[in-house]
């Protein structure tokens, strides 16, 4: 029996459902889904609209599988060259060892439109479950996931309206803790470096947490530099700290959306003969390996990237194997902590 996520429709939409919605035969829908088929433009548009409204995904495995078991799960991450997400993928892989399930991995480059394409492509192959990064998705992507009839785990976030289950933390809360920790050391003039767009929702949440914490402490919260399209690189972090100091030369401490941008900022300050932390303190986010190896070593926030992947995979396999009423709790909050080092 195919297991469905808690509180979701019991059956994924079928080609017959699409045909009824579009007012055509199932054979016409089948022809319309084949490249080069002779179906009128108006009919094809009606079918496309019905597919989008229903969240239908063509099952490419149906003709070749005698069982609904496919033996793999899917995971979608923003980037494969980000060590945080690589650690999350490693946690997923390690937790799947011995389960008989294999991992199909895709990356979005921080684009929800690209995520939608990956969701459709992966669901066509009928994974037994899917792990996503973050809780922000396109409307169509969300519909496809809700109708898929498989466990869905959203990670690295605490979305207000989860699709199914969540393994994550509050990015805003983690940044608030960093601000409060540094304010307790006597810092008062804070700056923040992040990206220029909202495509990295976790980065936007960190910036919001930065502002909330400073407002609560009665400190200035408008020293914010938005520089570069996420993910912010070392070079962009270096350029951003120059803009920060040109605009607010008395800034005491600069917090960055990630350790990579913080490392670029730190190196730029040192190139300019500034002492860190005596002239300016710098902190990052993510506890990358580079944060513990640079000089001075960098203060950051550890969010247990590996643990997020491992817990997500464990929750996914439990959901695959359990009946809906026996499934694990819907939301698993993972921890975070400030790692204080010499840069502050």
């Amino acid at each position: 029996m195919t297991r469905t996520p808690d509180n979701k429709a019991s059956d994924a939409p079928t080609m017959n459902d699409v045909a009824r919605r579009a007012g055509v035969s199932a054979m016409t829908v089948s022809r319309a889904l084949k490249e080069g088929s002779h179906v009128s433009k108006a009919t094809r548009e009606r079918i496309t609209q019905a597919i989008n409204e229903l969240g239908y995904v063509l099952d490419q495995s149906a003709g070749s599988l005698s069982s609904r078991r496919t033996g793999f799960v899917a995971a979608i991450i923003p980037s494969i060259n980000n060590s945080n997400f690589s650690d999350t993928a490693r946690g997923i892989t390690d937790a799947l060892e011995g389960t008989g399930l294999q991992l199909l991995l895709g990356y979005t480059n921080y684009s929800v439109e690209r995520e939608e394409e990956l969701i459709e492509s992966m669901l066509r192959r009928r994974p037994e479950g899917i792990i996503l990064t973050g809780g922000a998705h396109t409307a169509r992507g969300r519909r496809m996931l809700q109708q898929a009839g498989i466990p869905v785990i959203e990670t690295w976030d605490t979305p207000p309206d989860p699709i199914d289950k969540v393994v994550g933390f509050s990015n805003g809360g983690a940044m608030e803790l960093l601000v409060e920790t540094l304010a307790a050391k006597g810092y008062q003039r804070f700056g923040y470096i992040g990206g220029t767009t909202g495509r990295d929702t976790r980065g936007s949440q960190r910036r919001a947490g930065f502002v909330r914490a400073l407002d609560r402490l009665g400190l200035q919260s408008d020293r914010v530099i938005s520089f570069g399209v996420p993910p912010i690189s070392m070079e962009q972090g270096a350029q951003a700290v120059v803009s920060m100091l040109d605009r607010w030369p008395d800034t005491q401490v600069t917090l960055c959306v990630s350790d990579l941008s913080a490392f670029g900022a730190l190196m730029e300050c040192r190139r300019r003969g500034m002492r860190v932390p005596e002239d300016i303190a710098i902190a990052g986010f993510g506890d990358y390996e580079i944060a513990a190896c640079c000089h001075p070593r960098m203060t950051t926030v550890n969010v247990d990237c590996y643990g997020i992947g491992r817990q997500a995979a464990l929750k996914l396999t439990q959901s695959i194997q359990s009946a809906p009423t026996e499934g694990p709790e819907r939301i698993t909050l993972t921890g975070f902590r400030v790692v204080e080092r010499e840069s502050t």
Side-chain angles (χ1 to χ4, degrees):
M1 180 179 69
T2 302
R3 188 205 176 275
T4 57
D6 300 349
N7 303 318
K8 300 296 180 291
S10 58
D11 296 297
T14 66
M15 190 176 294
N16 286 331
D17 295 327
V18 174
R20 282 192 293 270
R21 177 69 66 95
V24 298
S25 68
M27 182 63 71
T28 301
V29 174
S30 179
R31 287 202 304 270
L33 293 175
K34 296 178 182 178
E35 293 186 11
S37 60
H38 299 291
V39 176
S40 71
K41 180 179 178 181
T43 299
R44 193 183 299 275
E45 287 177 350
R46 290 206 313 277
I47 292 171
T48 299
Q49 182 178 351
I51 287 172
N52 291 338
E53 290 174 352
L54 292 171
Y56 171 73
V57 178
L58 177 65
D59 187 352
Q60 292 183 333
S61 68
S64 58
L65 293 176
S66 59
S67 167
R68 298 305 295 164
R69 295 299 304 271
T70 57
F72 81 94
V73 297
I76 299 176
I77 61 176
S79 172
I80 58 175
N81 61 359
N82 180 315
S83 64
N84 277 1
F85 298 123
S86 296
D87 285 345
T88 296
R90 183 166 56 87
I92 295 171
T93 302
D94 287 353
L96 291 177
E97 187 172 354
T99 65
L101 293 168
Q102 300 298 317
L103 177 65
L104 177 63
L105 187 66
Y107 72 99
T108 67
N109 197 28
Y110 294 85
S111 166
V112 291
E113 291 77 20
R114 173 58 180 160
E115 182 194 62
E116 179 187 306
E117 294 173 1
L118 286 170
I119 289 169
E120 180 172 18
S121 177
M122 289 177 170
L123 289 182
R124 284 181 175 182
R125 290 156 179 81
R126 297 302 175 198
E128 297 188 39
I130 188 166
I131 298 172
L132 306 165
T133 303
H137 320 285
T138 66
R140 180 169 179 262
R142 185 179 179 88
R143 283 195 299 273
M144 287 190 289
L145 292 164
Q146 289 172 327
Q147 296 290 347
I150 59 173
V152 176
I153 313 292
E154 294 168 288
T155 65
W156 274 85
D157 201 354
T158 53
D161 183 22
I163 294 171
D164 183 10
K165 294 183 174 65
V166 172
V167 175
F169 64 96
S170 169
N171 283 271
M175 185 58 74
E176 288 183 62
L177 178 62
L178 179 58
V179 170
E180 292 164 357
T181 300
L182 295 177
K185 295 170 68 74
Y187 292 108
Q188 294 187 327
R189 296 187 293 277
F190 285 74
Y192 180 86
I193 291 173
T196 58
T197 73
R199 61 189 269 176
D200 178 10
T201 57
R202 292 166 299 284
S204 298
Q205 291 163 8
R206 292 168 198 171
R207 179 169 58 191
F210 169 85
V211 172
R212 280 197 306 271
L214 290 177
D215 288 347
R216 186 167 59 248
L217 293 168
L219 300 175
Q220 183 180 356
S221 62
D222 62 349
R223 299 183 185 215
V224 175
I225 295 293
S226 298
F227 197 102
V229 176
I232 308 302
S233 67
M234 297 180 191
E235 181 180 358
Q236 290 167 329
Q239 295 172 357
V241 79
V242 172
S243 298
M244 175 75 68
L245 294 172
D246 284 346
R247 188 169 180 182
W248 299 288
D250 62 339
T251 300
Q252 294 176 314
V253 57
T254 295
L255 279 54
C256 300
V257 69
S258 71
D259 284 348
L260 291 182
S261 54
F263 177 78
L266 188 154
M267 290 296 98
E268 181 62 27
C269 289
R270 296 203 62 186
R271 277 195 294 271
R272 290 170 174 259
M274 300 180 70
R275 298 169 301 164
V276 178
E278 292 84 359
D279 297 327
I280 184 170
I282 294 174
F285 195 105
D287 200 13
Y288 292 33
E289 185 178 7
I290 196 172
C293 298
C294 62
H295 180 72
R297 296 187 305 160
M298 192 188 304
T299 293
T300 184
V301 179
N302 181 291
V303 296
D304 190 14
C305 314
Y306 176 87
I308 289 173
R310 181 173 178 80
Q311 289 192 61
L314 290 174
K315 183 178 283 286
L316 191 71
T317 55
Q318 290 169 10
S319 297
I320 290 170
Q321 297 165 359
S322 303
T325 57
E326 300 171 340
E329 293 299 319
R330 193 175 190 194
I331 297 177
T332 299
L333 294 178
T334 58
F336 51 80
R337 59 187 175 89
V338 173
V339 181
E340 292 189 67
R341 298 192 179 109
E342 293 92 339
S343 70
T344 58

